[in-house]
């Protein structure tokens, strides 16, 4: 750590010292060790040393004396104290000029001064100062930890740190938002975060007093315009939480004491973010559980549920639509793979939930609508605030925004959504979820994955589900669609999907071809093949109705009808 030379000169053995050069440096230059050196210097001198020398050959061998002083200056020593009985006349002007040119401190000692007394008294003073500062850093560590445990703010932590080290400090979180700032130039922070046009250069190797402290290895140094600042990354729970920024007037200020103080500040900030994250995660879990209970367990809302919702920031008196989503992946997204690697213990599903929740929040803010959302084993449940009129447009706009932004971030993710809107007062949460889940299941069972289905659009499918599978009905369905199933299996085609898409567009060939990405002639060929295989005429409304009803029943009842012929065809 060292002691300022100005303080060190108060020991008894240095009372009679005379300053030749560098008097203005006494209050800033520190001494960490004292040594006695004569010609030659070699590699015996360390940085921040006070070097004592008798200088017996200064006048007899001026070139060697000059080189001797030059070598001491280059070694990084703090000062050279020369013992002589003839004071200034003994020191050649050439050497004095050399010291002045290099802003180096030259001291003159009385010839009778005992070097061993200087060494003993100096080391004792340095050790006492080091112990005092060590206790000071320990007191700082305890004080910072107490503040964190007492839920103090980051601003309070930075104020305490600043008053100890007298260096401007600031905290920036991972999203580049300033969480605390004590005397740090905001313009410099904005430049580092690329919020303004000031030139920023990240130095390859930071300039520090020495490399002894382990924290030096983790410092980033930025040159912003004509100013310099430093940065340390805050980690907690294997995750980058933010940055501790500090801006000394010179690198020499980053001594042992300051680095230890910064280390304690870094630890306190990491603990703060860890506590903040724990509180946030607890709140998220409480909200997740509450939303899932609203959807799946709580059939009747009472005053207790309303109060709990209010405590969590939810207004249950508003009208909501329930949106239930499932997803499938074409491949394992690179972003999720990186996220999982970067955060041990986090699955890709947790990462996907994070992205979805972020986009839900964004869409909520853009549309000025309240939402409640939760995730459970791949199922996404969202309650979206709606108006009595125009709710379909609101929901579609909301989902468009989520899917568009997610597609930009996570290629390969396809969502299917079911939407339920139940307007029976406070019972709407439970019942609207049941409706949304039913709409989603019916859509997925009878269509390719993806798209959106409103419960109010599933009346026909729900009617078909209520039909009992009599032998006669099963035989009709089997006879009608079995040729298409067999053909699709053998040719690896999809005539059933082609026909259902054709029905969706009410027999419009052009629209159907565009939806299936087919050439018009290819679609017409498939339609003729369907007619030849089934013996039905698609322009005949009765035949089209029979084929569509048979396909719908097969899709909806496939898991329930156990007639041998049907099972042998549909299990393909």
């Amino acid at each position: 750590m060292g002691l300022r030379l100005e303080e060190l000169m108060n020991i008894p053995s240095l009372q009679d010292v005379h300053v030749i050069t560098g008097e203005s440096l006494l209050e800033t230059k520190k001494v960490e060790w004292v040594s006695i050196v004569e010609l030659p210097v070699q590699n015996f001198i360390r940085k921040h040393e006070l070097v004592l020398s008798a200088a017996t050959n200064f006048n007899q061998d001026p070139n060697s004396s000059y080189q001797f002083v030059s070598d001491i200056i280059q070694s990084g020593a703090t000062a050279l104290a020369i013992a002589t009985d003839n004071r200034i006349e003994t020191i050649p002007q050439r050497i004095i000029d050399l010291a002045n040119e290099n802003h180096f401190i030259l001291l003159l000692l009385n010839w009778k001064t005992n070097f061993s007394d200087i060494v003993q008294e100096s080391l004792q003073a340095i050790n006492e100062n080091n112990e005092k500062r060590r206790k000071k850093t320990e007191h700082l560590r305890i004080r910072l930890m107490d503040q964190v445990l007492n839920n103090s703010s980051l601003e309070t932590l930075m104020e305490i740190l600043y008053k100890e080290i007298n260096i401007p400090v600031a905290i920036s979180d991972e999203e580049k938002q300033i969480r605390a700032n004590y005397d740090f130039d905001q313009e410099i922070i904005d430049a580092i975060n690329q919020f303004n046009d000031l030139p920023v250069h990240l130095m390859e190797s930071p300039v520090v007093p020495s490399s002894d402290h382990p924290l030096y290895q983790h410092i980033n140094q930025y040159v912003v315009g004509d100013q310099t600042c430093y940065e340390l990354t805050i980690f907690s729970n294997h995750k980058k939480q933010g940055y501790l920024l500090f801006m000394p007037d010179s690198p020499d200020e980053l001594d042992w004491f300051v680095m230890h103080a910064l280390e304690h500040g870094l630890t306190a900030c990491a603990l703060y973010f860890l506590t903040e994250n724990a509180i946030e995660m607890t709140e998220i879990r409480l909200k997740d559980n509450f939303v899932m209970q609203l959807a799946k367990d709580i059939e009747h809302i009472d005053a207790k549920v309303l109060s709990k919702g209010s405590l969590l920031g939810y207004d249950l008196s508003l009208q909501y639509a329930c949106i239930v989503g499932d997803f499938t992946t074409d491949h394992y997204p690179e972003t999720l793979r990186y996220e999982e690697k970067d955060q041990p213990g986090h699955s890709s599903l947790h990462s996907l939930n994070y992205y979805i929740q972020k986009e839900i929040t964004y869409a909520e803010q853009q549309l000025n609508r309240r939402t409640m959302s939760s995730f459970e084993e791949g199922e996404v449940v969202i309650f979206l605030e709606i108006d009595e009129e125009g709710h379909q447009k609101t929901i579609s706009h909301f989902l468009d925004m989520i899917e568009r932004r997610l597609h930009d971030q996570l290629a390969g993710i396809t969502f299917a959504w079911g939407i339920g809107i139940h307007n029976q007062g406070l019972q709407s949460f439970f019942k609207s979820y049941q409706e949304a889940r039913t709409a989603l299941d019916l859509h997925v069972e009878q269509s390719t994955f993806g798209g959106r289905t409103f419960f109010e659009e599933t009346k026909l499918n729900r009617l078909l589900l209520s039909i009992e599978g009599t032998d006669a009905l099963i035989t009709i369905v089997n006879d009608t669609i079995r040729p298409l199933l067999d053909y699709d299996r053998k040719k690896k085609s999809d005539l059933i999907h082609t026909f259902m898409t054709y029905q969706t567009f009410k027999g419009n060939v052009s629209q159907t071809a565009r939806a299936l990405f087919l050439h018009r002639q290819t679609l017409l060929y498939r339609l003729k093949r369907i007619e030849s295989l089934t013996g039905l005429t698609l322009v005949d409304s009765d035949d089209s109705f029979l084929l569509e009803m048979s396909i719908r029943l097969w899709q909806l009842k496939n898991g329930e009808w156990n007639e041998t012929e049907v099972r042998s065809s549909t299990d393909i």
Side-chain angles (χ1 to χ4, degrees), residues 26-279:
L26 298 179
E27 61 179 358
T28 57
K29 293 293 184 178
K30 293 185 177 181
V31 177
E32 296 179 355
W33 194 254
V34 181
S35 62
I36 303 171
V37 178
E38 301 299 341
L39 292 172
V41 173
Q42 295 185 356
N43 296 320
F44 301 132
I45 300 176
R46 298 177 296 184
K47 292 185 69 173
H48 309 300
E49 246 183 50
L50 171 61
V51 180
L52 307 178
S53 178
T56 54
N57 296 321
F58 263 45
N59 288 319
Q60 291 84 353
D61 190 354
N63 289 333
S64 296
S65 300
Y66 184 89
Q67 188 61 47
F68 172 73
V69 176
S70 178
D71 290 343
I72 290 176
I73 293 173
Q74 295 302 317
S75 71
T78 296
L80 170 62
I82 302 170
T84 176
D85 60 352
N86 198 16
R87 298 239 170 183
I88 298 177
E89 293 181 2
T90 306
I91 309 299
Q93 185 61 42
R94 185 182 175 202
I95 291 177
I96 295 175
D97 292 341
L98 174 66
N100 282 322
E101 289 170 6
N102 288 275
H103 305 286
F104 184 70
I105 302 172
L106 276 181
L107 304 175
L108 277 182
L109 303 172
N110 188 287
W111 182 258
K112 297 180 181 180
T113 303
N114 191 322
F115 279 5
S116 62
D117 289 342
I118 296 177
V119 172
Q120 180 181 356
E121 292 174 10
S122 296
L123 294 181
Q124 181 179 349
I126 291 171
N127 289 335
E128 288 175 355
N129 181 70
N130 288 348
E131 179 62 17
K132 179 181 177 182
R133 302 198 80 182
R134 188 196 65 78
K135 290 181 178 179
K136 192 175 181 182
T137 61
E138 180 62 15
H139 175 72
L140 173 63
R141 183 189 68 81
I142 294 172
R143 188 179 176 194
L144 288 172
M145 290 300 103
D146 286 344
Q147 292 296 323
V148 174
L149 295 175
N150 289 324
N151 299 319
S152 295
S153 64
L154 283 173
E155 288 84 356
T156 300
L157 298 180
M158 289 303 96
E159 180 182 3
I160 293 171
L161 181 61
Y162 172 81
K163 289 181 177 179
E164 288 293 340
I165 65 177
N166 198 30
I167 293 175
V169 287
I171 296 292
S172 173
D173 64 21
E174 192 183 11
E175 301 297 326
K176 299 182 178 180
Q177 298 297 317
I178 301 302
R179 299 290 301 274
N181 185 344
Y182 211 93
D183 204 30
F184 203 106
D185 190 337
Q186 180 68 46
E187 191 175 28
I188 301 296
I189 301 176
D190 290 343
I192 295 173
N193 293 333
Q194 299 180 339
F195 292 158
N196 61 33
D197 297 328
L198 281 178
V200 178
H201 172 65
L202 174 61
M203 297 188 66
E204 185 174 342
S205 298
V207 178
V208 292
S210 69
S211 58
D212 294 340
H213 196 285
L215 211 58
Y216 284 136
Q217 309 302 321
H218 304 284
I219 288 179
N220 288 326
Q221 182 179 4
Y222 294 94
V223 177
V224 183
D226 59 351
Q227 300 189 70
T228 298
C229 71
Y230 296 81
E231 173 189 86
L232 286 166
T233 303
I234 303 169
F235 284 96
S236 66
N237 198 25
H238 307 287
K239 183 181 178 182
K240 185 188 296 182
Q241 300 287 357
Y243 306 93
L244 172 58
L245 304 169
F246 48 102
M247 200 162 98
D249 291 332
S250 73
D252 289 337
E253 291 187 48
L254 303 179
D255 58 13
W256 185 94
F257 170 75
V258 170
M259 294 310 298
H260 266 59
L262 289 170
E263 184 177 24
H264 295 326
L266 201 67
T267 302
C269 290
L271 182 58
Y272 177 92
F273 281 117
L274 190 63
T275 304
E276 185 179 67
N277 290 343
I279 294 171

Side-chain angles (χ1 to χ4, degrees), residues 300-342:
H300 301 284
I301 306 297
D302 55 21
K304 184 177 179 180
V305 176
L306 286 171
S307 176
K308 184 175 181 179
S310 179
L311 288 173
L312 294 173
Y314 295 142
D315 185 353
L316 303 186
S317 66
L318 302 174
Q319 185 176 358
Y320 293 88
C322 182
I323 305 171
V324 178
D326 283 341
F327 66 90
T328 184
T329 58
D330 295 338
H331 59 273
Y332 194 62
E334 290 293 332
T335 309
L336 299 188
R337 198 157 46 230
Y338 170 81
E339 192 81 20
E340 187 172 354
K341 179 180 178 182
D342 187 51

